[in-house]
């Protein structure tokens, strides 16, 4: 029967009449479900310094332009907003389910502190540089980025507050980027960050944010980008021990060794620890305690030296999301406003168990 069909199929007369049956196997596209990679310049790559227009300004003209910029955008050294000086109304009483904004901090170093029991601890210094509110998006207009998993339906929807940090020269930014700050009436910022807040914690654009937004002893979460280490091996990336240095080992001292993918599997299992790019990823350190605050220079001391990022890089601080370490007493809600507070804060604020440097370390008492 098979030979007869082959013979009939060979004739050109019946070739078009016969219907060939072919089994088609469809393979789904894997790229359809994988997100597209983002191509960004690495942090260690120096940014090009270019001039848009070679105006050939003289020294006198340059000084005149700087004076105009300072008059239009006064600095935040006066601790008053150029747009909103009056207190924000209404002042809502804090409740445990409310969420306020955070701060954009600059990591400036590591410093030791001593507790009152004599224990030495390591702390990281974070400076709050020119933080101001740029824009508030109400819950009706705030649409977060859509992810693969559907968002959790929250009964009380939350809004978004855009906060900027580190003033920059308005002449060096584009017209579109300048329009964001021109509408708010604040100096153009180098860093912008969104914080999810409750509608009761909304702040008007131009409101300055200081280090006293937090109190010593509070618990915060810090989000930052880790140091970019480049392509590294398994010993530095994952902490592998490596092969022996003697006893017949040849050129495999820092190699990963057998990854166990032979036999029936015959493939590399997903998640296998292998060499690759290390660092330059967002990480969150939760449950970090504030030990000390300097109100003059807006510097915050937080416990630990494992804050992600290099020195002079920015991280984001906000109230912790850990359920057992949330606020039990009312914080500065929606933020610390020096215009409506009657009591003036001292320059140095310490937690209860931190030893201030101004106090004597040892006390000698005469025997009675």
């Amino acid at each position: 029967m098979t030979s007869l069909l082959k013979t009939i199929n060979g004739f050109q007369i019946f070739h078009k009449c016969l219907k060939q049956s072919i089994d088609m196997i469809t393979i789904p596209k894997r790229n359809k479900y994988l997100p597209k990679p983002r191509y960004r310049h690495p942090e260690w790559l120096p940014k090009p310094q270019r001039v848009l227009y070679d105006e050939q300004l003289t020294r006198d003209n340059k000084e005149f332009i700087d004076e105009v910029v300072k008059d239009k955008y006064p600095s935040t050294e006066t601790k008053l907003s150029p747009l909103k000086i009056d207190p924000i109304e209404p002042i809502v009483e804090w409740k445990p389910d409310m969420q306020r904004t955070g701060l954009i901090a600059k990591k400036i170093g590591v410093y030791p502190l001593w507790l009152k029991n004599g224990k030495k601890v390591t702390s990281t210094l974070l400076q709050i540089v020119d933080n101001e509110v740029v824009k508030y998006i109400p819950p009706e207009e705030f649409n977060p980025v859509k992810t693969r998993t559907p968002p959790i339906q929250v009964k009380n929807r939350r809004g978004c507050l855009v906060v900027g940090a580190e003033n920059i020269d308005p002449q060096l930014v584009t017209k579109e980027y300048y329009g964001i700050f021109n509408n708010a009436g604040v100096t153009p910022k180098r860093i912008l960050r969104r914080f999810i807040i409750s509608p009761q914690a909304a702040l008007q654009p131009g409101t300055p944010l200081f280090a006293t937004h937090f109190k010593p002893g509070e618990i915060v979460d810090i989000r930052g980008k880790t140091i970019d280490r480049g392509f590294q091996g398994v010993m530095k990336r994952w902490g592998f021990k490596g092969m022996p240095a003697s006893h017949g080992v040849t050129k495999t001292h820092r190699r990963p060794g057998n990854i166990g993918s032979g036999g029936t599997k015959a493939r590399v299992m997903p998640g296998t620890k292998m060499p690759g790019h290390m660092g330059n990823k967002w990480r969150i350190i939760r449950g970090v305690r504030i030990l000390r605050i300097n109100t003059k220079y807006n510097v915050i001391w937080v416990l630990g030296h494992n804050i992600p990022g290099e020195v002079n890089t920015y991280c984001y601080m906000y109230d912790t999301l850990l359920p057992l370490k949330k606020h039990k007493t009312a914080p500065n809600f929606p933020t610390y406003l020096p215009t409506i507070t009657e009591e003036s804060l001292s320059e140095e604020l310490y937690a209860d168990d931190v030893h201030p440097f101004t106090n004597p370390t040892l006390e000698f008492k005469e025997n009675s």
Side-chain angles (χ1 to χ4, degrees), residues 74-126:
S75 61
T76 57
E77 297 177 356
T78 57
K79 294 187 178 182
L80 292 177
S81 170
L83 183 65
K84 187 68 177 176
I85 301 179
D86 300 332
I88 300 174
E89 298 292 345
I91 302 300
V92 184
E93 185 178 357
W94 176 80
K95 294 182 180 180
D97 58 339
M98 293 183 180
Q99 187 175 357
R100 59 175 183 165
T101 181
L103 299 177
I104 304 176
K106 184 178 183 180
K107 183 178 178 180
I108 58 177
V110 180
Y111 198 75
L113 287 177
W114 282 264
L115 304 181
K116 291 184 178 179
N117 57 3
K119 182 180 179 181
K120 178 184 176 181
V121 295
T122 308
S123 62
T124 304
L125 280 72
L126 302 175

Side-chain angles (χ1 to χ4, degrees), residues 25-282:
I25 301 175
T26 58
I27 301 175
K29 284 187 176 182
R30 298 186 63 183
N31 297 334
K32 181 179 179 182
Y33 305 99
L34 297 177
K36 295 182 180 179
R38 301 179 183 178
Y39 298 101
R40 299 179 180 175
H41 292 286
E43 299 292 337
W44 46 263
L45 185 66
K47 297 181 180 180
Q49 303 291 337
R50 61 186 180 88
V51 181
L52 297 179
Y53 304 101
D54 188 9
E55 300 176 349
Q56 298 181 355
L57 297 176
T58 61
R59 183 176 180 182
D60 297 338
N61 294 339
K62 181 63 177 176
E63 293 177 355
F64 173 73
I65 293 177
D66 294 341
E67 292 179 1
V68 172
V69 171
K70 291 181 180 179
D71 294 340
K72 188 174 182 180
Y73 299 99
S75 61
T76 57
E77 297 177 356
T78 57
K79 294 187 178 182
L80 292 177
S81 170
L83 183 65
K84 187 68 177 176
I85 301 179
D86 300 332
I88 300 174
E89 298 292 345
I91 302 300
V92 184
E93 185 178 357
W94 176 80
K95 294 182 180 180
D97 58 339
M98 293 183 180
Q99 187 175 357
R100 59 175 183 165
T101 181
L103 299 177
I104 304 176
K106 184 178 183 180
K107 183 178 178 180
I108 58 177
V110 180
Y111 198 75
L113 287 177
W114 282 264
L115 304 181
K116 291 184 178 179
N117 57 3
K119 182 180 179 181
K120 178 184 176 181
V121 295
T122 308
S123 62
T124 304
L125 280 72
L126 302 175
Q127 186 176 15
I128 311 302
V129 183
D130 303 331
N131 280 21
E132 286 184 334
V133 178
V134 177
K135 185 179 181 181
Y136 170 66
I137 304 175
E140 298 80 16
E141 302 177 4
F142 176 58
N143 297 319
V145 179
K146 295 182 180 180
T147 58
R148 193 177 306 173
T149 57
I152 302 175
Q153 298 295 332
V154 183
K155 182 178 180 181
N156 299 325
R157 292 194 59 183
R158 302 185 185 276
C160 173
L161 199 69
V162 181
V163 179
E166 189 177 352
N167 298 334
I168 57 177
D169 192 354
Q171 304 174 74
L172 303 180
V173 298
T174 61
K175 183 178 180 181
E176 293 77 12
Y177 190 70
Y178 174 79
I180 301 174
F181 308 95
N182 190 26
N183 298 333
V186 298
T187 310
K189 306 291 182 179
R190 187 181 304 276
I191 305 295
L192 289 178
R193 170 64 177 165
R194 297 191 306 176
F195 292 97
I196 308 301
I197 63 170
S198 303
Q200 296 83 357
L203 298 172
Q204 296 192 14
T207 305
L209 302 175
F210 309 106
T212 49
H213 177 78
F214 299 105
K215 295 180 181 179
E218 292 183 349
I219 308 297
V220 296
D221 294 345
I222 301 177
R223 179 176 183 264
K225 184 172 283 189
T226 56
I227 301 176
D228 190 3
R229 303 291 185 181
F231 194 95
Q232 296 295 333
V234 292
M235 293 186 65
K236 184 171 183 179
R237 192 185 185 195
W238 302 109
F240 281 18
K241 182 181 179 180
M243 298 293 181
S246 61
H247 296 286
V249 178
T250 306
K251 297 183 180 180
T252 57
H253 309 292
R254 301 182 65 88
R255 298 291 185 88
N258 186 11
I259 61 175
S261 295
T264 309
K265 293 181 290 185
R267 69 189 186 98
V268 179
M269 299 301 294
T272 303
K273 295 180 179 179
M274 301 185 73
H277 189 273
M278 180 181 177
N280 197 27
K281 294 184 179 180
W282 290 103

